[in-house]
Amino acid sequence: MEVVGWIVVIACFIVSFVGLVYPIIPGVLFLLGGFILYGLFFSFADLSWWFWAIEILFVVLLFGADTVANAFGIKKFGGSNAGMWGSTIGLLIGPFVIPVAGILVGPFLGAIIAELIVERKTFNEAVKSGVGSLIGFLTSTVAKAVIQIVMIVVFFIAI
């Protein structure tokens, strides 16, 4: 039963990283689910209050990194709130329309379309916003990956 427990916990960790490239998968929930499943399979005694406090702070940091990086990327390149919304919608729809490349093309095109339709910007300005959304997405993905790795390291230190 111990082997099954570890397989389930590690599978949750792997799915959390898949959530980095497929944002429809709530990666942070799978990460927390892996911690909780460890407690159910083995023991919550290993996971002290400081462990949970640190992990909750990292969860807040994960959400903040995602929002701030995307907003910064778009705003830095002259985009608007419409560009941010378009980027987010493109991020959610892109992987389903274009299976592999949609994760990059979706936010880029979403920001461009939103800037063109809602803000009535020129094509060049809209493309700059699209580039900003792409840079913001890639930056947030790297930041979230690092934070998730740190969360898993803290977990293994705790146990």
Side-chain angles (χ1 to χ4, degrees), residues 31-110:
L31 200 56
L32 293 173
F35 301 152
I36 292 169
L37 286 170
Y38 173 84
L40 293 173
F41 274 105
F42 302 102
S43 172
F44 280 103
D46 295 336
L47 307 175
S48 65
W49 68 269
W50 68 264
F51 166 79
W52 290 107
I54 290 171
E55 296 298 349
I56 289 170
L57 289 174
F58 278 125
V59 168
V60 171
L61 190 60
L62 271 172
F63 286 118
D66 197 21
T67 305
V68 169
N70 193 25
F72 179 77
I74 290 176
K75 295 290 184 182
K76 183 77 175 169
F77 284 80
S80 66
N81 285 339
M84 286 194 308
W85 280 104
S87 173
T88 301
I89 293 168
L91 182 62
L92 295 174
I93 295 173
F96 295 108
V97 176
I98 307 169
V100 176
I103 196 69
L104 298 174
V105 174
F108 178 73
L109 289 179

Side-chain angles (χ1 to χ4, degrees), residues 68 146 148:
V68 169
V146 169
Q148 285 184 336

Side-chain angles (χ1 to χ4, degrees), residues 9-22 25-35 62 144-145 148-149 151-152:
V9 168
I10 291 171
C12 283
F13 292 166
I14 291 169
V15 171
S16 76
F17 283 97
V18 172
L20 291 173
V21 290
Y22 281 103
I25 298 171
V28 71
L29 293 180
F30 278 94
L31 200 56
L32 293 173
F35 301 152
L62 271 172
K144 289 188 304 184
Q148 285 184 336
I149 290 169
M151 290 175 75
I152 292 170

